[in-house]
Short mmCIF file of all heavy atoms in Angstrom, two decimals:
data_model
loop_
_atom_site.label_atom_id
_atom_site.label_comp_id
_atom_site.label_asym_id
_atom_site.label_seq_id
_atom_site.Cartn_x
_atom_site.Cartn_y
_atom_site.Cartn_z
N MET L 1 1.64 7.62 -10.22
CA MET L 1 2.45 6.68 -9.40
C MET L 1 2.21 5.26 -9.89
O MET L 1 1.08 4.83 -10.06
CB MET L 1 2.04 6.81 -7.93
CG MET L 1 2.75 5.79 -7.03
SD MET L 1 2.25 6.03 -5.31
CE MET L 1 2.81 4.47 -4.62
N SER L 2 3.29 4.54 -10.11
CA SER L 2 3.14 3.16 -10.54
C SER L 2 4.03 2.26 -9.69
O SER L 2 5.17 2.60 -9.40
CB SER L 2 3.50 3.01 -12.02
OG SER L 2 4.85 3.37 -12.23
N ASP L 3 3.49 1.12 -9.30
CA ASP L 3 4.24 0.17 -8.49
C ASP L 3 4.86 -0.89 -9.38
O ASP L 3 4.37 -1.15 -10.47
CB ASP L 3 3.31 -0.50 -7.48
CG ASP L 3 2.80 0.51 -6.47
OD1 ASP L 3 3.57 1.39 -6.07
OD2 ASP L 3 1.62 0.42 -6.09
N PRO L 4 5.92 -1.53 -8.90
CA PRO L 4 6.57 -2.56 -9.72
C PRO L 4 5.77 -3.87 -9.75
O PRO L 4 5.00 -4.17 -8.84
CB PRO L 4 7.91 -2.77 -9.02
CG PRO L 4 7.68 -2.39 -7.60
CD PRO L 4 6.67 -1.28 -7.65
N CYS L 5 6.00 -4.62 -10.80
CA CYS L 5 5.44 -5.96 -10.92
C CYS L 5 6.06 -6.85 -9.84
O CYS L 5 7.26 -6.78 -9.59
CB CYS L 5 5.76 -6.50 -12.31
SG CYS L 5 5.43 -8.25 -12.52
N ASP L 6 5.26 -7.69 -9.19
CA ASP L 6 5.78 -8.55 -8.14
C ASP L 6 6.68 -9.67 -8.67
O ASP L 6 7.43 -10.28 -7.93
CB ASP L 6 4.62 -9.19 -7.36
CG ASP L 6 3.99 -8.18 -6.41
OD1 ASP L 6 4.64 -7.18 -6.10
OD2 ASP L 6 2.85 -8.42 -6.00
N SER L 7 6.57 -9.92 -9.96
CA SER L 7 7.32 -11.03 -10.52
C SER L 7 8.63 -10.59 -11.15
O SER L 7 9.68 -11.15 -10.87
CB SER L 7 6.46 -11.74 -11.57
OG SER L 7 7.14 -12.85 -12.09
N CYS L 8 8.59 -9.57 -12.00
CA CYS L 8 9.81 -9.16 -12.71
C CYS L 8 10.36 -7.83 -12.20
O CYS L 8 11.40 -7.37 -12.66
CB CYS L 8 9.54 -9.09 -14.21
SG CYS L 8 8.37 -7.79 -14.69
N SER L 9 9.64 -7.19 -11.26
CA SER L 9 10.10 -5.95 -10.62
C SER L 9 10.16 -4.75 -11.56
O SER L 9 10.70 -3.72 -11.20
CB SER L 9 11.47 -6.15 -9.97
OG SER L 9 11.38 -7.12 -8.95
N GLN L 10 9.60 -4.89 -12.74
CA GLN L 10 9.55 -3.75 -13.63
C GLN L 10 8.36 -2.87 -13.26
O GLN L 10 7.32 -3.37 -12.85
CB GLN L 10 9.42 -4.21 -15.09
CG GLN L 10 10.69 -4.83 -15.64
CD GLN L 10 10.58 -5.13 -17.12
OE1 GLN L 10 9.61 -4.74 -17.77
NE2 GLN L 10 11.56 -5.83 -17.66
N SER L 11 8.53 -1.58 -13.42
CA SER L 11 7.44 -0.66 -13.16
C SER L 11 6.28 -0.93 -14.13
O SER L 11 6.50 -1.12 -15.32
CB SER L 11 7.94 0.77 -13.33
OG SER L 11 6.86 1.66 -13.36
N VAL L 12 5.07 -0.97 -13.58
CA VAL L 12 3.91 -1.23 -14.43
C VAL L 12 2.80 -0.24 -14.08
O VAL L 12 2.48 -0.03 -12.91
CB VAL L 12 3.43 -2.69 -14.31
CG1 VAL L 12 3.23 -3.08 -12.86
CG2 VAL L 12 2.17 -2.91 -15.10
N GLU L 13 2.24 0.38 -15.09
CA GLU L 13 1.20 1.37 -14.86
C GLU L 13 -0.07 0.71 -14.35
O GLU L 13 -0.38 -0.43 -14.67
CB GLU L 13 0.89 2.11 -16.17
CG GLU L 13 2.05 2.95 -16.68
CD GLU L 13 1.70 3.63 -17.99
OE1 GLU L 13 0.49 3.84 -18.22
OE2 GLU L 13 2.61 3.92 -18.77
N ASP L 14 -0.83 1.47 -13.57
CA ASP L 14 -2.07 0.94 -13.01
C ASP L 14 -3.01 0.42 -14.09
O ASP L 14 -3.70 -0.57 -13.92
CB ASP L 14 -2.78 2.02 -12.20
CG ASP L 14 -2.14 2.18 -10.83
OD1 ASP L 14 -1.41 1.26 -10.39
OD2 ASP L 14 -2.35 3.22 -10.20
N ALA L 15 -3.04 1.14 -15.22
CA ALA L 15 -3.96 0.75 -16.29
C ALA L 15 -3.63 -0.61 -16.87
O ALA L 15 -4.50 -1.28 -17.42
CB ALA L 15 -3.93 1.80 -17.40
N LEU L 16 -2.36 -1.01 -16.74
CA LEU L 16 -1.93 -2.28 -17.32
C LEU L 16 -1.78 -3.38 -16.28
O LEU L 16 -1.76 -4.56 -16.61
CB LEU L 16 -0.59 -2.10 -18.05
CG LEU L 16 -0.60 -1.13 -19.24
CD1 LEU L 16 0.82 -0.99 -19.80
CD2 LEU L 16 -1.54 -1.62 -20.33
N ALA L 17 -1.68 -3.01 -15.03
CA ALA L 17 -1.41 -3.99 -13.98
C ALA L 17 -2.61 -4.90 -13.75
O ALA L 17 -3.76 -4.51 -13.96
CB ALA L 17 -1.05 -3.28 -12.69
N ARG L 18 -2.30 -6.12 -13.33
CA ARG L 18 -3.34 -7.08 -12.97
C ARG L 18 -3.10 -7.50 -11.53
O ARG L 18 -2.05 -8.03 -11.21
CB ARG L 18 -3.28 -8.32 -13.87
CG ARG L 18 -3.62 -8.03 -15.31
CD ARG L 18 -5.07 -7.72 -15.50
NE ARG L 18 -5.41 -7.48 -16.90
CZ ARG L 18 -5.36 -6.29 -17.48
NH1 ARG L 18 -4.96 -5.25 -16.78
NH2 ARG L 18 -5.67 -6.14 -18.73
N ASP L 19 -4.08 -7.25 -10.67
CA ASP L 19 -3.98 -7.71 -9.29
C ASP L 19 -4.65 -9.07 -9.20
O ASP L 19 -5.85 -9.19 -9.40
CB ASP L 19 -4.66 -6.72 -8.34
CG ASP L 19 -3.84 -5.45 -8.20
OD1 ASP L 19 -2.60 -5.56 -8.12
OD2 ASP L 19 -4.42 -4.36 -8.17
N VAL L 20 -3.85 -10.07 -8.91
CA VAL L 20 -4.33 -11.44 -8.90
C VAL L 20 -4.37 -11.98 -7.49
O VAL L 20 -3.41 -11.87 -6.75
CB VAL L 20 -3.41 -12.34 -9.75
CG1 VAL L 20 -3.89 -13.78 -9.69
CG2 VAL L 20 -3.38 -11.86 -11.19
N ARG L 21 -5.52 -12.52 -7.11
CA ARG L 21 -5.63 -13.18 -5.82
C ARG L 21 -6.02 -14.62 -6.03
O ARG L 21 -6.97 -14.91 -6.74
CB ARG L 21 -6.69 -12.49 -4.94
CG ARG L 21 -6.18 -11.31 -4.16
CD ARG L 21 -7.30 -10.67 -3.39
NE ARG L 21 -8.26 -10.04 -4.30
CZ ARG L 21 -9.53 -9.82 -4.02
NH1 ARG L 21 -10.03 -10.21 -2.87
NH2 ARG L 21 -10.30 -9.22 -4.88
N LEU L 22 -5.28 -15.51 -5.42
CA LEU L 22 -5.63 -16.92 -5.47
C LEU L 22 -6.21 -17.31 -4.13
O LEU L 22 -5.57 -17.14 -3.09
CB LEU L 22 -4.38 -17.76 -5.77
CG LEU L 22 -4.58 -19.28 -5.72
CD1 LEU L 22 -5.61 -19.73 -6.76
CD2 LEU L 22 -3.26 -19.98 -5.96
N GLN L 23 -7.44 -17.79 -4.15
CA GLN L 23 -8.10 -18.16 -2.90
C GLN L 23 -8.32 -19.65 -2.82
O GLN L 23 -8.75 -20.28 -3.78
CB GLN L 23 -9.46 -17.45 -2.78
CG GLN L 23 -9.31 -15.94 -2.61
CD GLN L 23 -10.61 -15.30 -2.16
OE1 GLN L 23 -11.68 -15.80 -2.46
NE2 GLN L 23 -10.52 -14.20 -1.45
N VAL L 24 -8.03 -20.20 -1.65
CA VAL L 24 -8.31 -21.60 -1.37
C VAL L 24 -9.12 -21.66 -0.09
O VAL L 24 -8.70 -21.13 0.93
CB VAL L 24 -7.01 -22.42 -1.23
CG1 VAL L 24 -7.35 -23.86 -0.87
CG2 VAL L 24 -6.19 -22.37 -2.51
N ASP L 25 -10.26 -22.31 -0.17
CA ASP L 25 -11.15 -22.37 1.01
C ASP L 25 -11.46 -20.99 1.57
O ASP L 25 -11.47 -20.78 2.78
CB ASP L 25 -10.55 -23.26 2.10
CG ASP L 25 -10.45 -24.71 1.65
OD1 ASP L 25 -11.23 -25.11 0.77
OD2 ASP L 25 -9.59 -25.42 2.17
N ARG L 26 -11.68 -20.05 0.69
CA ARG L 26 -12.12 -18.70 1.03
C ARG L 26 -11.06 -17.86 1.74
O ARG L 26 -11.36 -16.80 2.26
CB ARG L 26 -13.40 -18.72 1.89
CG ARG L 26 -14.57 -19.35 1.17
CD ARG L 26 -15.81 -19.33 2.03
NE ARG L 26 -16.91 -20.08 1.39
CZ ARG L 26 -17.69 -19.57 0.47
NH1 ARG L 26 -17.51 -18.34 0.07
NH2 ARG L 26 -18.64 -20.30 -0.07
N SER L 27 -9.83 -18.33 1.81
CA SER L 27 -8.77 -17.49 2.37
C SER L 27 -7.73 -17.21 1.28
O SER L 27 -7.42 -18.08 0.46
CB SER L 27 -8.11 -18.17 3.56
OG SER L 27 -7.49 -19.37 3.16
N THR L 28 -7.22 -16.00 1.28
CA THR L 28 -6.27 -15.62 0.25
C THR L 28 -4.91 -16.25 0.52
O THR L 28 -4.34 -16.08 1.58
CB THR L 28 -6.12 -14.08 0.21
OG1 THR L 28 -7.39 -13.51 -0.04
CG2 THR L 28 -5.15 -13.67 -0.90
N VAL L 29 -4.41 -17.00 -0.45
CA VAL L 29 -3.11 -17.65 -0.29
C VAL L 29 -2.05 -17.01 -1.18
O VAL L 29 -0.87 -17.26 -1.02
CB VAL L 29 -3.19 -19.16 -0.59
CG1 VAL L 29 -4.08 -19.85 0.42
CG2 VAL L 29 -3.67 -19.40 -2.00
N ASP L 30 -2.47 -16.22 -2.15
CA ASP L 30 -1.52 -15.58 -3.03
C ASP L 30 -2.13 -14.28 -3.53
O ASP L 30 -3.28 -14.24 -3.91
CB ASP L 30 -1.19 -16.50 -4.21
CG ASP L 30 0.08 -16.06 -4.93
OD1 ASP L 30 0.78 -15.18 -4.41
OD2 ASP L 30 0.35 -16.60 -6.01
N ASN L 31 -1.35 -13.22 -3.49
CA ASN L 31 -1.84 -11.91 -3.90
C ASN L 31 -0.70 -11.19 -4.60
O ASN L 31 0.30 -10.85 -3.98
CB ASN L 31 -2.31 -11.13 -2.67
CG ASN L 31 -3.13 -9.92 -3.07
OD1 ASN L 31 -3.08 -9.46 -4.21
ND2 ASN L 31 -3.90 -9.40 -2.15
N GLN L 32 -0.83 -10.99 -5.89
CA GLN L 32 0.28 -10.42 -6.64
C GLN L 32 -0.19 -9.33 -7.58
O GLN L 32 -1.29 -9.40 -8.13
CB GLN L 32 0.97 -11.51 -7.47
CG GLN L 32 1.55 -12.64 -6.67
CD GLN L 32 2.35 -13.58 -7.54
OE1 GLN L 32 3.43 -13.25 -8.01
NE2 GLN L 32 1.81 -14.76 -7.76
N ARG L 33 0.69 -8.35 -7.76
CA ARG L 33 0.47 -7.33 -8.77
C ARG L 33 1.38 -7.66 -9.94
O ARG L 33 2.60 -7.73 -9.78
CB ARG L 33 0.83 -5.95 -8.20
CG ARG L 33 0.79 -4.82 -9.21
CD ARG L 33 1.31 -3.54 -8.58
NE ARG L 33 1.40 -2.46 -9.55
CZ ARG L 33 0.38 -1.64 -9.84
NH1 ARG L 33 -0.77 -1.79 -9.23
NH2 ARG L 33 0.53 -0.70 -10.73
N LEU L 34 0.80 -7.90 -11.10
CA LEU L 34 1.58 -8.39 -12.23
C LEU L 34 1.40 -7.53 -13.47
O LEU L 34 0.32 -7.00 -13.73
CB LEU L 34 1.15 -9.83 -12.56
CG LEU L 34 1.32 -10.86 -11.44
CD1 LEU L 34 0.71 -12.19 -11.88
CD2 LEU L 34 2.77 -11.04 -11.06
N CYS L 35 2.48 -7.43 -14.24
CA CYS L 35 2.39 -6.80 -15.56
C CYS L 35 1.72 -7.80 -16.51
O CYS L 35 1.60 -8.98 -16.19
CB CYS L 35 3.78 -6.40 -16.04
SG CYS L 35 4.86 -7.78 -16.46
N PRO L 36 1.26 -7.36 -17.67
CA PRO L 36 0.54 -8.25 -18.58
C PRO L 36 1.32 -9.51 -18.95
O PRO L 36 0.76 -10.60 -19.03
CB PRO L 36 0.30 -7.37 -19.81
CG PRO L 36 0.24 -5.98 -19.26
CD PRO L 36 1.26 -5.95 -18.14
N THR L 37 2.64 -9.37 -19.15
CA THR L 37 3.46 -10.52 -19.52
C THR L 37 3.51 -11.54 -18.39
O THR L 37 3.30 -12.74 -18.61
CB THR L 37 4.89 -10.07 -19.87
OG1 THR L 37 4.84 -9.14 -20.95
CG2 THR L 37 5.74 -11.26 -20.28
N CYS L 38 3.76 -11.07 -17.19
CA CYS L 38 3.85 -11.99 -16.04
C CYS L 38 2.48 -12.57 -15.71
O CYS L 38 2.37 -13.70 -15.26
CB CYS L 38 4.44 -11.27 -14.83
SG CYS L 38 6.18 -10.85 -15.03
N PHE L 39 1.44 -11.79 -15.93
CA PHE L 39 0.09 -12.28 -15.69
C PHE L 39 -0.21 -13.48 -16.60
O PHE L 39 -0.72 -14.50 -16.15
CB PHE L 39 -0.92 -11.17 -15.94
CG PHE L 39 -2.35 -11.62 -15.84
CD1 PHE L 39 -2.91 -11.90 -14.61
CD2 PHE L 39 -3.13 -11.75 -16.98
CE1 PHE L 39 -4.23 -12.32 -14.51
CE2 PHE L 39 -4.45 -12.17 -16.90
CZ PHE L 39 -5.00 -12.45 -15.66
N ALA L 40 0.15 -13.36 -17.85
CA ALA L 40 -0.06 -14.45 -18.80
C ALA L 40 0.73 -15.69 -18.37
O ALA L 40 0.22 -16.81 -18.42
CB ALA L 40 0.35 -14.02 -20.20
N ASP L 41 1.97 -15.46 -17.94
CA ASP L 41 2.79 -16.58 -17.47
C ASP L 41 2.17 -17.22 -16.23
O ASP L 41 2.17 -18.45 -16.09
CB ASP L 41 4.20 -16.09 -17.14
CG ASP L 41 4.99 -15.74 -18.39
OD1 ASP L 41 4.55 -16.11 -19.50
OD2 ASP L 41 6.03 -15.08 -18.25
N TRP L 42 1.68 -16.38 -15.33
CA TRP L 42 1.12 -16.87 -14.07
C TRP L 42 -0.11 -17.74 -14.34
O TRP L 42 -0.27 -18.82 -13.77
CB TRP L 42 0.76 -15.67 -13.20
CG TRP L 42 0.37 -16.02 -11.79
CD1 TRP L 42 1.22 -16.11 -10.71
CD2 TRP L 42 -0.93 -16.34 -11.31
NE1 TRP L 42 0.50 -16.45 -9.60
CE2 TRP L 42 -0.82 -16.59 -9.92
CE3 TRP L 42 -2.19 -16.42 -11.92
CZ2 TRP L 42 -1.92 -16.94 -9.14
CZ3 TRP L 42 -3.28 -16.77 -11.13
CH2 TRP L 42 -3.15 -17.02 -9.76
N ILE L 43 -0.98 -17.26 -15.21
CA ILE L 43 -2.19 -18.03 -15.54
C ILE L 43 -1.83 -19.37 -16.16
O ILE L 43 -2.40 -20.40 -15.83
CB ILE L 43 -3.09 -17.22 -16.50
CG1 ILE L 43 -3.69 -16.02 -15.76
CG2 ILE L 43 -4.17 -18.10 -17.09
CD1 ILE L 43 -4.69 -16.40 -14.68
N THR L 44 -0.85 -19.34 -17.07
CA THR L 44 -0.42 -20.58 -17.72
C THR L 44 0.12 -21.56 -16.70
O THR L 44 -0.21 -22.74 -16.71
CB THR L 44 0.67 -20.28 -18.77
OG1 THR L 44 0.13 -19.40 -19.75
CG2 THR L 44 1.15 -21.55 -19.44
N ARG L 45 0.95 -21.05 -15.79
CA ARG L 45 1.55 -21.90 -14.77
C ARG L 45 0.49 -22.45 -13.83
O ARG L 45 0.52 -23.62 -13.44
CB ARG L 45 2.59 -21.09 -13.98
CG ARG L 45 3.70 -21.93 -13.38
CD ARG L 45 4.88 -21.07 -12.97
NE ARG L 45 4.50 -20.01 -12.08
CZ ARG L 45 4.74 -18.71 -12.29
NH1 ARG L 45 5.36 -18.34 -13.38
NH2 ARG L 45 4.37 -17.80 -11.43
N TYR L 46 -0.46 -21.60 -13.46
CA TYR L 46 -1.53 -22.02 -12.57
C TYR L 46 -2.33 -23.17 -13.18
O TYR L 46 -2.61 -24.17 -12.53
CB TYR L 46 -2.45 -20.84 -12.27
CG TYR L 46 -3.64 -21.21 -11.42
CD1 TYR L 46 -3.54 -21.22 -10.04
CD2 TYR L 46 -4.85 -21.56 -12.02
CE1 TYR L 46 -4.63 -21.57 -9.26
CE2 TYR L 46 -5.94 -21.91 -11.25
CZ TYR L 46 -5.83 -21.91 -9.88
OH TYR L 46 -6.91 -22.27 -9.12
N LYS L 47 -2.68 -23.01 -14.43
CA LYS L 47 -3.49 -24.04 -15.10
C LYS L 47 -2.72 -25.35 -15.20
O LYS L 47 -3.27 -26.43 -15.00
CB LYS L 47 -3.89 -23.56 -16.49
CG LYS L 47 -4.96 -22.48 -16.44
CD LYS L 47 -5.33 -22.01 -17.84
CE LYS L 47 -6.45 -20.97 -17.77
NZ LYS L 47 -6.75 -20.42 -19.12
N GLU L 48 -1.42 -25.25 -15.49
CA GLU L 48 -0.61 -26.46 -15.61
C GLU L 48 -0.50 -27.18 -14.27
O GLU L 48 -0.50 -28.39 -14.21
CB GLU L 48 0.80 -26.10 -16.12
CG GLU L 48 0.81 -25.74 -17.59
CD GLU L 48 2.20 -25.30 -18.04
OE1 GLU L 48 3.09 -25.15 -17.18
OE2 GLU L 48 2.38 -25.12 -19.25
N GLU L 49 -0.40 -26.40 -13.19
CA GLU L 49 -0.21 -27.02 -11.88
C GLU L 49 -1.53 -27.50 -11.27
O GLU L 49 -1.56 -28.50 -10.56
CB GLU L 49 0.45 -26.02 -10.91
CG GLU L 49 1.89 -25.73 -11.29
CD GLU L 49 2.51 -24.71 -10.35
OE1 GLU L 49 1.81 -24.27 -9.40
OE2 GLU L 49 3.67 -24.33 -10.57
N MET L 50 -2.60 -26.79 -11.53
CA MET L 50 -3.86 -27.08 -10.85
C MET L 50 -4.75 -28.06 -11.61
O MET L 50 -5.49 -28.82 -11.01
CB MET L 50 -4.64 -25.79 -10.60
CG MET L 50 -3.92 -24.83 -9.67
SD MET L 50 -3.51 -25.54 -8.05
CE MET L 50 -5.15 -25.60 -7.31
N SER L 51 -4.70 -28.05 -12.92
CA SER L 51 -5.63 -28.86 -13.70
C SER L 51 -5.54 -30.35 -13.39
O SER L 51 -6.56 -30.99 -13.20
CB SER L 51 -5.40 -28.62 -15.20
OG SER L 51 -5.74 -27.29 -15.53
N PRO L 52 -4.33 -30.93 -13.34
CA PRO L 52 -4.25 -32.37 -13.04
C PRO L 52 -4.81 -32.70 -11.67
O PRO L 52 -5.49 -33.71 -11.49
CB PRO L 52 -2.74 -32.65 -13.10
CG PRO L 52 -2.18 -31.57 -13.94
CD PRO L 52 -3.03 -30.36 -13.64
N LYS L 53 -4.54 -31.84 -10.67
CA LYS L 53 -5.04 -32.09 -9.32
C LYS L 53 -6.56 -32.00 -9.28
O LYS L 53 -7.23 -32.80 -8.64
CB LYS L 53 -4.45 -31.07 -8.33
CG LYS L 53 -2.95 -31.21 -8.17
CD LYS L 53 -2.41 -30.10 -7.26
CE LYS L 53 -0.89 -30.11 -7.25
NZ LYS L 53 -0.33 -28.92 -6.56
N ALA L 54 -7.09 -31.01 -9.97
CA ALA L 54 -8.54 -30.84 -10.00
C ALA L 54 -9.19 -32.07 -10.63
O ALA L 54 -10.25 -32.52 -10.19
CB ALA L 54 -8.90 -29.58 -10.78
N ALA L 55 -8.54 -32.60 -11.64
CA ALA L 55 -9.09 -33.77 -12.32
C ALA L 55 -9.04 -34.98 -11.38
O ALA L 55 -9.95 -35.80 -11.38
CB ALA L 55 -8.30 -34.06 -13.59
N ASP L 56 -7.98 -35.08 -10.58
CA ASP L 56 -7.84 -36.21 -9.68
C ASP L 56 -8.89 -36.19 -8.57
O ASP L 56 -9.50 -37.19 -8.27
CB ASP L 56 -6.44 -36.20 -9.03
CG ASP L 56 -5.39 -36.71 -10.01
OD1 ASP L 56 -5.78 -37.29 -11.03
OD2 ASP L 56 -4.19 -36.50 -9.74
N SER L 57 -9.08 -35.03 -7.97
CA SER L 57 -9.96 -34.95 -6.81
C SER L 57 -11.42 -34.82 -7.22
O SER L 57 -12.31 -35.06 -6.43
CB SER L 57 -9.57 -33.76 -5.92
OG SER L 57 -9.78 -32.56 -6.62
N GLY L 58 -11.64 -34.39 -8.43
CA GLY L 58 -13.01 -34.24 -8.90
C GLY L 58 -13.56 -32.86 -8.65
O GLY L 58 -14.45 -32.41 -9.33
N SER L 59 -13.01 -32.18 -7.66
CA SER L 59 -13.46 -30.82 -7.39
C SER L 59 -12.38 -30.06 -6.63
O SER L 59 -11.51 -30.65 -6.00
CB SER L 59 -14.76 -30.81 -6.57
OG SER L 59 -14.48 -31.28 -5.26
N THR L 60 -12.45 -28.75 -6.69
CA THR L 60 -11.49 -27.94 -5.95
C THR L 60 -12.17 -26.64 -5.51
O THR L 60 -13.03 -26.13 -6.20
CB THR L 60 -10.25 -27.61 -6.80
OG1 THR L 60 -9.40 -26.75 -6.06
CG2 THR L 60 -10.64 -26.94 -8.11
N ASP L 61 -11.76 -26.15 -4.37
CA ASP L 61 -12.34 -24.92 -3.87
C ASP L 61 -11.48 -23.70 -4.20
O ASP L 61 -11.77 -22.60 -3.78
CB ASP L 61 -12.52 -25.00 -2.35
CG ASP L 61 -13.68 -25.90 -1.98
OD1 ASP L 61 -14.59 -26.05 -2.82
OD2 ASP L 61 -13.66 -26.48 -0.89
N SER L 62 -10.38 -23.94 -4.90
CA SER L 62 -9.51 -22.82 -5.22
C SER L 62 -10.12 -22.00 -6.34
O SER L 62 -10.88 -22.48 -7.16
CB SER L 62 -8.12 -23.32 -5.63
OG SER L 62 -8.20 -24.01 -6.84
N GLU L 63 -9.76 -20.72 -6.35
CA GLU L 63 -10.36 -19.82 -7.32
C GLU L 63 -9.46 -18.62 -7.55
O GLU L 63 -8.80 -18.13 -6.64
CB GLU L 63 -11.73 -19.41 -6.78
CG GLU L 63 -12.09 -17.98 -6.91
CD GLU L 63 -13.49 -17.73 -6.32
OE1 GLU L 63 -13.73 -18.03 -5.15
OE2 GLU L 63 -14.31 -17.20 -7.06
N ILE L 64 -9.40 -18.21 -8.79
CA ILE L 64 -8.59 -17.04 -9.14
C ILE L 64 -9.49 -15.83 -9.23
O ILE L 64 -10.54 -15.87 -9.85
CB ILE L 64 -7.88 -17.22 -10.49
CG1 ILE L 64 -7.04 -18.49 -10.50
CG2 ILE L 64 -7.01 -16.02 -10.80
CD1 ILE L 64 -6.42 -18.75 -11.85
N ILE L 65 -9.09 -14.74 -8.60
CA ILE L 65 -9.82 -13.50 -8.70
C ILE L 65 -8.91 -12.46 -9.31
O ILE L 65 -7.81 -12.21 -8.82
CB ILE L 65 -10.30 -13.02 -7.31
CG1 ILE L 65 -11.23 -14.06 -6.71
CG2 ILE L 65 -10.98 -11.65 -7.43
CD1 ILE L 65 -11.59 -13.79 -5.27
N VAL L 66 -9.35 -11.87 -10.40
CA VAL L 66 -8.55 -10.86 -11.07
C VAL L 66 -9.31 -9.53 -11.02
O VAL L 66 -10.41 -9.42 -11.53
CB VAL L 66 -8.26 -11.25 -12.53
CG1 VAL L 66 -7.42 -10.17 -13.19
CG2 VAL L 66 -7.57 -12.59 -12.59
N ASP L 67 -8.71 -8.59 -10.38
CA ASP L 67 -9.33 -7.27 -10.28
C ASP L 67 -8.94 -6.41 -11.46
O ASP L 67 -7.83 -6.44 -11.90
CB ASP L 67 -8.90 -6.58 -8.99
CG ASP L 67 -9.46 -7.31 -7.78
OD1 ASP L 67 -10.55 -7.87 -7.90
OD2 ASP L 67 -8.79 -7.30 -6.74
ZN1 ZN P 1 6.20 -8.59 -14.67
#
């Protein structure tokens, strides 16, 4: 049994899927099942969006967890 990718809706095998959780202040704010392609895109987008803010504030409590 394989579930679809949350981003592109294509079926993705468990062996290839990446379950990504984004946590801010210890609470889960984003939880997605992604295929390898969408996972790479997601990480790239996350870094682009979060890096400048992290640099501005000096610190951040957000964290990516990849199962
Ligand atoms: Zn996908």
Side-chain angles (χ1 to χ4, degrees):
M1 175 179 164
S2 62
D3 294 323
C5 169
D6 284 341
S7 182
C8 66
S9 298
Q10 288 186 9
S11 168
V12 51
E13 295 179 26
D14 281 342
L16 298 176
R18 294 290 181 271
D19 288 319
V20 178
R21 274 177 292 155
L22 175 61
Q23 292 194 331
V24 177
D25 295 335
R26 298 181 187 278
S27 63
T28 302
V29 295
D30 197 10
N31 194 341
Q32 300 187 71
R33 174 186 175 86
L34 300 174
C35 69
T37 301
C38 291
F39 175 73
D41 289 346
W42 189 90
I43 291 292
T44 299
R45 207 164 55 236
Y46 176 86
K47 287 179 177 175
E48 287 176 352
E49 291 179 1
M50 297 303 288
S51 294
K53 295 176 188 171
D56 283 346
S57 65
S59 69
T60 176
D61 286 334
S62 67
E63 137 180 57
I64 304 175
I65 299 171
V66 181
D67 293 328

